[in-house]
Structure formats: structure tokens, C-alpha cells
Amino acid sequence: MKIKMFFAALILGVVIACGGGSTVDTDIAMPVWKTHCQLCHGADGKLGLNGAKDLTASELSLEERIQVITKGRNTMIAYENTLTPEQIEEVAKYTMSLKQ
């Protein structure tokens, strides 16, 4: 029984560790979030200031979020000339973590 539990935990750990590369690099994402996103979206993604969407309810894929951050949408400005592609991807991943 202990051996089965060990292997189940080991497999679960490997699956989590190899989870498709969607782990957020918070060293990159958090400074970007706090500087460029938090004012309108709020610390928890729900603020909705200036028409900002509630990110906890968003159904956008990671790729769609990257596109919105890069090109902007409605009143949200484009960040393609402000942030690096890596910063954009990491903050997009961070917004995925806000989903309820």
C-alpha cells in the first residue's frame, strides 16, 4: 500500500512539474502587474476601473490574453512597445491564475 501511494505521489508530482510550461515567473509578472495592470484591474483582477474586465471571469485563452495585452482592446492601451514579449507572456499567465 505504501509503495502504491509513493508512486501515485511521484506521478502527481511529475505531472504538476511538467504542467505544460504555464508556471508563472512572478519575478517578471508581479512588477509588470503592479505597474501597468493593477490600477484598473485591481490586485485580485476584479476592480473593473475604466471599463477593465473582471479577469477572474474571463474565458480568454492564454494566447488571446497575450494578444489583448500586446495590441490593447477598447480603452486598454497596447503594451507591445512598452513591455517585452516575455513580460507580456508572464503577465498573461498571471491573469490565468486569477480565474475562479
Side-chain angles (χ1 to χ4, degrees), residues 36-58:
H36 299 285
C37 312
Q38 189 168 313
L39 178 65
C40 293
H41 289 287
D44 61 0
K46 297 179 182 184
L47 183 60
L49 190 64
N50 296 321
K53 300 297 181 191
D54 178 349
L55 298 176
T56 65
S58 177

Side-chain angles (χ1 to χ4, degrees), residues 54-62 64-65 96 99-100:
D54 178 349
L55 298 176
T56 65
S58 177
E59 295 295 325
L60 295 179
S61 68
L62 177 62
E64 290 169 322
R65 290 166 192 252
M96 298 291 289
K99 285 186 73 167
Q100 294 180 336

Side-chain angles (χ1 to χ4, degrees), residues 26-96:
T26 55
D27 290 340
I28 296 172
M30 292 312 295
V32 172
W33 178 262
K34 289 178 180 177
T35 301
H36 299 285
C37 312
Q38 189 168 313
L39 178 65
C40 293
H41 289 287
D44 61 0
K46 297 179 182 184
L47 183 60
L49 190 64
N50 296 321
K53 300 297 181 191
D54 178 349
L55 298 176
T56 65
S58 177
E59 295 295 325
L60 295 179
S61 68
L62 177 62
E63 293 75 21
E64 290 169 322
R65 290 166 192 252
I66 290 170
Q67 181 70 16
V68 170
I69 296 166
T70 302
K71 298 296 184 181
R73 180 187 281 179
N74 300 326
T75 59
M76 181 175 153
I77 66 167
Y79 285 97
E80 62 190 338
N81 296 321
T82 305
L83 303 173
T84 67
E86 181 183 26
Q87 289 173 312
I88 291 171
E89 181 176 350
E90 292 306 320
V91 81
K93 288 179 188 177
Y94 177 72
T95 67
M96 298 291 289

